[in-house]
Amino acid sequence: MPFFFLLGIIGIIFADTPQIDVVEYQGIINPPAAEFIAKAIKESAEKKAAAIIIRLDTPGGLDQSMRTIVKDIIASEIPVIVFVSPSGARAASAGTFITMAAHIAAMAPGTNIGAAHPVSISGGETKGDMAAKLENDAAAYIKGIAHKRGRNEQWAEDAVRKSVSITAEEALKIKVIDFVAKDIDELLAVVNGRSIITEKGAVALNIKGAKINKVEMGIRFKILSLLADPNIAYILLMLGIYGIFFELSSPGAILPGVVGGIFLILAFYGLQTLPINYAGLLLILLALILFIAEVKVTSYGLLTIGGIISMFLGSLMLIDTQLEFLQISLRVIVTVVIITALLFTIAISLAYKAYKKQPTTGREGLIGAIGAAITVISPKGKVFVEGELWDAKSDEGIKKGEEIEVTGIEGLLLKVKPRKHKSP
């Protein structure tokens, strides 16, 4: 009986211990990010966590993904705390909307927020009526968020219309955020006891001694996030092209074609949300055609050179954007092009050597073969070469039993000469 009583006491103690879930996200705001954060908020609410903290560090991202995250935060039944950290982190562009949508917005010293002016996915300035529509829509959206959370509406509008950006200390001073804290422990200390209005109603944050539960990004979200990286998508595209090339140049190999097809599908997943320049994509496809043609046509490397140039230019043009975080790294492009050049140079070199190499099978393979004279050859006779008896002729007299070397073939007649042994 005392044992079960003790278990009950322990259960009550742990049941009363509040739990804080902590989600870390660093990177571009994209569909995998939106899905991951939405799932984390939902699961935290289902297990009755006291609050969820989103540690954020982002240069911005896609408008639709940002709006999905904002809607999930606003609709959350538990308090959502967005904490821009560690020092050196930022909540730029889409990150500004997400931070201001939080029930509690906090930043670490040495961080910044703002620069939320809407731009097209290509990174260029949208002009005319469309620019005004995008700007007015974004300004109204962020003002509505700021009003709902009781934050600085004028600064929020300026962040959209004028791309202003401020430090954590400035943001606290003008009521853009609620707290500045160096780490999560300090943050929890300052928010303890604060009353929060969620969609479910008023919630008191009594989180003294709360248990911190770090929510890890699962393997699925890690893979999806990795695939959404422009550099990874580009590398997968190139690997897919290599696979298709080797399958077409060696029909029936199967494995290169299967692997190449998988890589291409994964690459298209990553590229689907990016501004693809179709001229760049066509240049890359042209490079593939030129590489295949080099195998079929002897151009002495000219088609390969053209393919390499086409691939390099196509890679530079593939992603049509001025946004740095959506561009393919020049270092990655140069590395891939150099590897491609080496790969196809080696392949073509081996093919050329095979073309120039003397045949070792068939009738032509007999040239240079060593045999023995079965009869006297003067100028004709019979020889035994490669396990067969042949008619032969020679410009030199050859004795019976003497070793001979085949120098040519005329129909079914071998041209031979006495084999001369090298001096030791």
Side-chain angles (χ1 to χ4, degrees):
M1 186 68 179
F3 174 73
F4 291 105
F5 178 75
L6 182 61
L7 284 179
I9 295 296
I10 294 173
I12 291 172
I13 292 173
F14 278 98
D16 291 338
T17 302
Q19 176 175 301
I20 304 291
D21 287 341
V22 178
V23 175
E24 293 193 16
Y25 186 78
Q26 178 180 357
I28 301 168
I29 302 300
N30 52 27
E35 187 179 351
F36 168 60
I37 293 174
K39 183 182 179 184
I41 293 174
K42 181 181 178 182
E43 290 182 349
S44 293
E46 288 176 348
K47 62 187 181 184
K48 307 299 182 183
I52 180 171
I53 299 175
I54 302 173
R55 291 190 66 182
L56 186 65
D57 179 11
T58 178
L62 304 178
D63 179 79
Q64 188 58 50
S65 299
M66 173 271 291
R67 289 176 184 258
T68 299
I69 295 173
V70 168
K71 285 190 287 186
D72 289 326
I73 291 174
I74 292 175
S76 175
E77 296 181 354
I78 63 172
V80 177
I81 304 170
V82 173
F83 184 31
V84 183
S85 70
S87 294
R90 55 179 168 167
S93 190
T96 305
F97 289 79
I98 294 170
T99 304
M100 297 196 73
H103 297 102
I104 296 176
M107 298 173 67
T111 59
N112 64 280
I113 185 172
H117 184 76
V119 295
S120 65
I121 195 171
S122 65
E125 286 289 336
T126 307
K127 299 180 180 180
D129 293 339
M130 182 56 68
K133 288 180 181 179
L134 289 174
E135 184 177 298
N136 291 335
D137 178 63
Y141 189 55
I142 201 167
K143 281 182 68 179
I145 293 171
H147 178 76
K148 182 175 181 66
R149 297 301 186 215
R151 300 202 170 101
N152 192 324
E153 295 180 40
Q154 184 57 56
W155 180 87
E157 183 175 4
D158 289 343
V160 169
R161 296 192 185 279
K162 301 178 182 178
S163 291
V164 295
S165 183
I166 54 177
T167 65
E169 292 74 17
E170 292 170 331
L172 178 63
K173 184 177 181 180
I174 62 175
K175 297 182 179 180
V176 171
I177 61 172
D178 303 304
F179 301 103
V180 172
K182 65 179 181 180
D183 54 33
I184 288 180
D185 290 338
E186 184 176 316
L187 175 62
L188 293 179
V190 296
V191 302
N192 183 44
R194 187 180 177 92
S195 181
I196 304 297
I197 304 297
T198 68
E199 291 302 292
K200 196 175 181 179
V203 176
L205 277 177
N206 297 315
I207 54 176
K208 186 176 181 180
K211 176 187 175 184
I212 303 298
N213 175 49
K214 188 174 181 180
V215 179
E216 297 287 348
M217 182 179 282
I219 186 65
R220 175 175 176 271
F221 288 113
K222 286 181 179 179
I223 292 173
L224 292 179
S225 182
L226 192 65
L227 293 176
D229 186 306
N231 293 302
I232 300 299
Y234 170 70
I235 291 172
L236 288 172
L237 178 65
M238 293 299 104
L239 291 174
I241 287 176
Y242 295 160
I244 298 301
F245 165 78
F246 286 117
E247 181 62 36
L248 293 177
S249 60
S250 303
I254 300 178
L255 181 61
V258 172
V259 174
I262 292 172
F263 283 151
L264 284 179
I265 292 172
L266 293 177
F268 291 149
Y269 171 83
L271 295 171
Q272 66 177 332
T273 57
L274 299 174
I276 301 299
N277 184 324
Y278 289 101
L281 184 59
L282 288 174
L283 280 171
I284 292 175
L285 293 177
L286 174 62
L288 174 62
I289 294 171
L290 292 175
F291 291 145
I292 294 173
E294 181 65 77
V295 176
K296 307 297 182 181
V297 179
T298 304
S299 71
Y300 302 101
L302 292 178
L303 290 175
T304 297
I305 293 172
I308 292 170
I309 294 173
S310 179
M311 177 171 286
F312 179 71
L313 295 177
S315 299
L316 290 177
M317 298 167 58
L318 183 62
I319 307 297
D320 185 17
T321 181
Q322 296 175 20
L323 299 175
E324 184 179 350
F325 56 82
L326 291 180
Q327 293 176 350
I328 301 172
S329 167
L330 181 60
R331 183 180 300 176
V332 172
I333 292 175
V334 171
T335 301
V336 169
V337 171
I338 290 175
I339 291 174
T340 302
L342 291 174
L343 178 66
F344 286 102
T345 298
I346 292 171
I348 291 166
S349 175
L350 292 174
Y352 182 73
K353 286 180 179 178
Y355 172 77
K356 296 294 289 182
K357 187 177 180 181
Q358 180 176 322
T360 57
T361 60
R363 296 175 59 194
E364 291 78 5
L366 290 172
I367 298 175
I370 305 301
I374 301 301
T375 66
V376 173
I377 302 176
S378 182
K380 292 184 178 182
K382 291 189 178 292
V383 295
F384 191 75
V385 179
E386 299 289 339
E388 295 181 326
L389 195 63
W390 291 82
D391 290 324
K393 70 173 184 177
S394 175
D395 296 332
E396 305 177 45
I398 300 176
K399 298 177 182 179
K400 180 180 178 180
E402 188 175 353
E403 281 193 334
I404 56 92
E405 180 180 349
V406 180
T407 60
I409 303 175
E410 294 180 357
L412 296 177
L413 185 68
L414 299 184
K415 293 181 65 177
V416 300
K417 68 178 182 179
R419 185 187 182 195
K420 295 181 180 178
H421 294 275
K422 295 181 179 180
S423 301

